[in-house]
Amino acid sequence: MTSSRKNKTLFIDKEAASALELVSESLLAPVTKLMNEKEFQEVLKTGLIDGQSFPFPFVLAPSGKKNEETIQALEPNEEISIICDGEEFATLTVEDTFKIHPKERVKHIYGTDDLTHPGVMATIKRIGNWALSGNYTILHKTKDKNKIKIQQAKELIGTKHTSSLVMGANPLHRAHERLIRQTLENTDLLVIFLLKPYDSANLKYEIRKEALEYFINNFLPKNRVIIVPLENSYIFAGYNEIIIDAIVAKNYGCDRLTIGRNHAGLGMFYDCNSNKSIIDRVTGIDIEITVASEYVYCDECKTLVSKNTCPHGQHHQISYHADSILELLEAGLLPPAVLIRKEISSFLLSKLFPNRFKNLEKLYYDTFPVKGLLEEHNEKDFYLELMKLYQTTSLT
């Protein structure tokens, strides 16, 4: 229910609330509160907080005429209620209020204010012209169980190194599997931060998580891998994403972060006669950042290989583009097993197209060899058997 307090109120969405929760859980440390104007300008100038890289100021500037009128009327030390989805989410003691420019704010995050850029339009609609700073307290806060889970796993296996990956696994394909295995090869414990978006586009988080859990439970030492949901809010967008990923991973207790070479935020540039990336600009974050190889399937090597070690040209290589593989699945097609494990694609198709067949049992018994026993089969079983037929070579 909406708070009955007499405080002035500010209204935010779940995306802003998730960013506030990250700070309250000390996952964006050294950020501990909403920044005031002086701190805002200092971060813009130096890109640092207490000697540590932080890509842009952490402020709250929600859009909407009512919000802006409320912020402008606030006085220092005044307490304000923050409302999310009709319920009181937090209380904040005002330090100061100041004007910002939404287009500049978006440029700090994405590196551009071009409205045709993915995400820029959505974010700029959420940003108002006035920001407020101060310490806040989240109400009905629960302890972060993922921090506890990671710490317990570290103690159980006596870890020396804890590595991390940030991925969408949308969908989980063979190159993802290779990246996970390669990272796990050189560490004691692996934390996979699985991105959890705010829209319903593509595969739902629960489906992607179940697919990833299947791979971990059946093909990896499962006591050495932990999945942690990561709310994929606007602060993780743009060319500074790797810095935020590194900060969050470190504050979860990881000492290593592995990213793919085709990571959208890697951004190579030329400086002082050498190629560099945003990783070379990271300062003061006590975490080792490694750029993994790009994996492809080579039809000459007949296996999944690193582009760094495959001697054959691009015309022999199949790249793993998650969006294209997802397009096959969304069209109802079963991707080749060289792109995605058949158990995963069968599971995903059964979720994307539930009750797709009018008479699944008849189709199953008419199409595949059976043991003569009447057994119930689901759509996932059907796709698995269908893949086996695709892989039969005697008549091809």
Side-chain angles (χ1 to χ4, degrees):
M1 294 180 63
T2 303
S3 170
S4 60
R5 299 170 66 98
K6 299 299 182 180
N7 297 342
K8 293 175 182 175
T9 55
L10 203 63
F11 297 87
I12 65 171
D13 58 19
K14 287 184 177 180
E15 194 165 356
S18 76
L20 294 177
E21 286 177 332
L22 283 174
V23 170
S24 72
E25 292 288 350
S26 301
L27 294 175
L28 290 182
V31 175
T32 59
K33 66 180 184 65
L34 294 168
M35 297 178 182
N36 58 38
E37 187 170 16
K38 181 180 178 181
E39 294 164 334
F40 180 96
Q41 295 299 335
E42 185 66 20
V43 173
L44 287 184
K45 181 180 177 181
T46 66
L48 300 171
I49 301 175
D50 296 339
Q52 176 179 304
S53 291
F54 203 86
F56 42 76
F58 187 78
V59 298
L60 181 63
S63 63
K65 183 178 179 181
K66 187 174 182 180
N67 279 336
E68 293 196 6
E69 289 176 349
T70 298
I71 295 174
Q72 290 180 69
L74 291 173
E75 298 290 339
N77 299 317
E78 188 173 355
E79 188 171 275
I80 184 171
S81 295
I82 299 176
I83 308 297
C84 180
D85 281 355
E87 295 186 352
E88 189 174 24
F89 170 75
T91 59
L92 180 143
T93 302
V94 178
E95 183 178 351
D96 72 353
T97 61
F98 53 98
K99 195 166 186 178
I100 67 167
H101 300 285
K103 290 191 71 174
E104 290 183 8
R105 171 72 173 160
V106 167
K107 196 169 184 178
H108 300 152
I109 297 172
Y110 291 93
T112 179
D113 57 8
D114 184 353
L115 296 180
T116 63
H117 183 282
V120 168
M121 175 64 82
T123 302
I124 204 167
K125 287 180 179 179
R126 302 177 57 257
I127 299 176
N129 295 292
W130 283 85
L132 76 165
S133 68
N135 291 300
Y136 60 89
T137 301
I138 293 179
L139 307 177
H140 314 300
K141 182 180 175 183
T142 57
K143 196 170 183 64
D144 189 342
K145 294 181 180 179
N146 293 305
K147 274 189 173 182
I148 298 172
K149 186 165 65 172
I150 292 171
Q151 186 57 39
Q152 289 175 339
K154 292 168 78 170
E155 293 173 357
L156 182 65
I157 62 179
T159 61
K160 292 182 180 179
H161 293 290
T162 302
S163 296
S164 57
L165 287 169
V166 181
M167 61 172 53
N170 188 37
L172 180 72
H173 53 62
R174 294 285 191 176
H176 286 141
E177 292 187 13
R178 177 59 63 88
L179 178 60
I180 292 170
R181 288 184 187 278
Q182 189 65 39
T183 306
L184 191 58
E185 183 76 27
N186 301 303
T187 194
D188 303 305
L189 181 68
L190 174 61
V191 178
I192 300 177
F193 294 103
L194 188 60
L195 297 175
K196 193 174 183 180
Y198 287 87
D199 54 48
S200 57
N202 302 328
L203 295 174
K204 292 181 179 179
Y205 170 81
E206 291 74 19
I207 293 175
R208 291 182 286 114
K209 181 174 182 285
E210 191 171 342
L212 184 56
E213 286 175 336
Y214 175 85
F215 172 63
I216 293 170
N217 291 333
N218 289 277
F219 301 102
L220 295 176
K222 57 185 179 182
N223 66 319
R224 293 176 53 207
V225 185
I226 293 175
I227 301 173
V228 173
L230 187 61
E231 303 282 356
N232 192 22
S233 69
Y234 66 97
I235 67 170
F236 291 94
Y239 70 119
N240 293 301
E241 177 184 344
I242 292 173
I243 297 177
I244 300 293
D245 287 347
I247 292 171
V248 171
K250 175 186 176 296
N251 288 317
Y252 261 115
C254 303
D255 55 271
R256 295 173 176 173
L257 170 67
T258 300
I259 61 172
R261 189 166 295 277
N262 59 352
H263 190 291
L266 189 55
M268 303 300 292
F269 62 93
Y270 197 69
D271 182 42
C272 297
N273 299 318
S274 64
N275 287 322
K276 295 187 178 181
S277 73
I278 194 167
I279 294 173
D280 297 288
R281 292 178 173 174
V282 175
T283 302
I285 304 175
D286 188 19
I287 190 169
E288 178 185 334
I289 303 177
T290 302
V291 181
S293 301
E294 180 181 353
Y295 298 109
V296 295
Y297 180 86
C298 175
D299 62 9
E300 287 289 325
C301 296
K302 305 299 182 185
T303 189
L304 201 68
V305 295
S306 162
K307 291 189 84 171
N308 293 339
T309 60
C310 179
H312 307 109
Q314 189 172 344
H315 54 290
H316 286 291
Q317 298 170 346
I318 298 174
S319 295
Y320 288 82
H321 298 291
D323 53 347
S324 296
I325 297 173
L326 181 59
E327 191 171 345
L328 291 176
L329 289 166
E330 289 179 329
L333 299 176
L334 196 59
V338 70
L339 295 179
I340 182 170
R341 186 178 293 273
K342 64 180 184 292
E343 294 88 350
I344 301 295
S345 57
S346 298
F347 164 73
L348 295 178
L349 279 177
S350 69
K351 292 295 183 180
L352 286 170
F353 298 95
N355 305 315
R356 184 181 190 183
F357 304 104
K358 293 180 180 178
N359 192 335
L360 180 65
E361 289 298 323
K362 181 179 185 302
L363 185 61
Y364 189 96
Y365 282 99
D366 286 351
T367 308
F368 310 121
V370 294
K371 298 177 181 179
L373 299 174
L374 291 177
E375 299 176 343
E376 288 190 8
H377 299 93
N378 57 34
E379 290 177 327
K380 181 180 177 182
D381 297 331
F382 175 81
Y383 291 120
L384 281 170
E385 292 300 320
L386 190 61
M387 178 61 81
K388 290 179 183 178
L389 290 188
Y390 284 143
Q391 293 173 323
T392 301
T393 58
S394 60
L395 295 177
T396 59

